Amino acid sequence: MLTDSERFAFETRRHHAFASTGNAYDASQCDEAIKTGDTLIVLAEQVVAIAMTWPFAVTATCGKLHALSASRPGEDLAALARTLHVRAADFRHAADLARRLGFPIDPQLIPLLDMLAE
């Protein structure tokens, strides 16, 4: 039998799928069901992104969403996440999902995520 801490040792993630990155951007601005840190998916454009005031892609393609600017020297994933008011886990989850879907990851993120370029 599992203990309560074992039974609830998971994290719920919300994914929102859209037909276009324009739809994803618009929805992230006005749909109260979309929270900061949620994952946005646009299969048709091969984009996976993180929701926030200015939703940004973790994939090489960003479409109508924002692209990340180059990280500052010495900046790690935790610092970048704090700057954007999301969590490092949000980045890791979105990037892992993009990788599993076969979408190229934003090359700037690869060193921060400790991923091998594919």
Side-chain angles (χ1 to χ4, degrees):
M1 174 120 316
L2 297 174
T3 66
D4 280 347
S5 61
E6 291 170 326
R7 286 182 36 222
F8 301 109
F10 63 90
E11 183 175 0
T12 302
R13 290 259 171 212
R14 292 184 57 104
H15 298 98
H16 307 273
F18 299 94
S20 72
T21 51
N23 293 145
Y25 194 101
D26 291 346
S28 70
Q29 300 304 298
C30 60
D31 187 339
E32 292 181 14
I34 300 173
K35 305 292 184 203
T36 296
D38 284 359
T39 305
L40 308 176
I41 305 165
V42 183
L43 294 174
E45 296 179 44
Q46 294 192 350
V47 173
V48 176
I50 298 174
M52 63 167 301
T53 306
W54 300 282
F56 59 90
V58 299
T59 48
T61 303
C62 65
K64 302 284 185 187
L65 302 173
H66 294 276
L68 292 171
S69 57
S71 59
R72 297 179 195 125
E75 185 174 47
D76 64 4
L77 187 61
L80 176 61
R82 275 192 305 276
T83 300
L84 296 170
H85 306 288
V86 297
R87 297 172 309 143
D90 298 330
F91 271 99
R92 285 193 183 90
H93 176 75
D96 184 56
L97 178 61
R99 184 183 57 77
R100 290 172 188 267
L101 289 169
F103 301 169
I105 303 296
D106 181 341
Q108 299 178 100
L109 282 177
I110 291 171
L112 298 175
L113 294 164
D114 298 324
M115 295 175 76
L116 297 175
E118 297 178 10

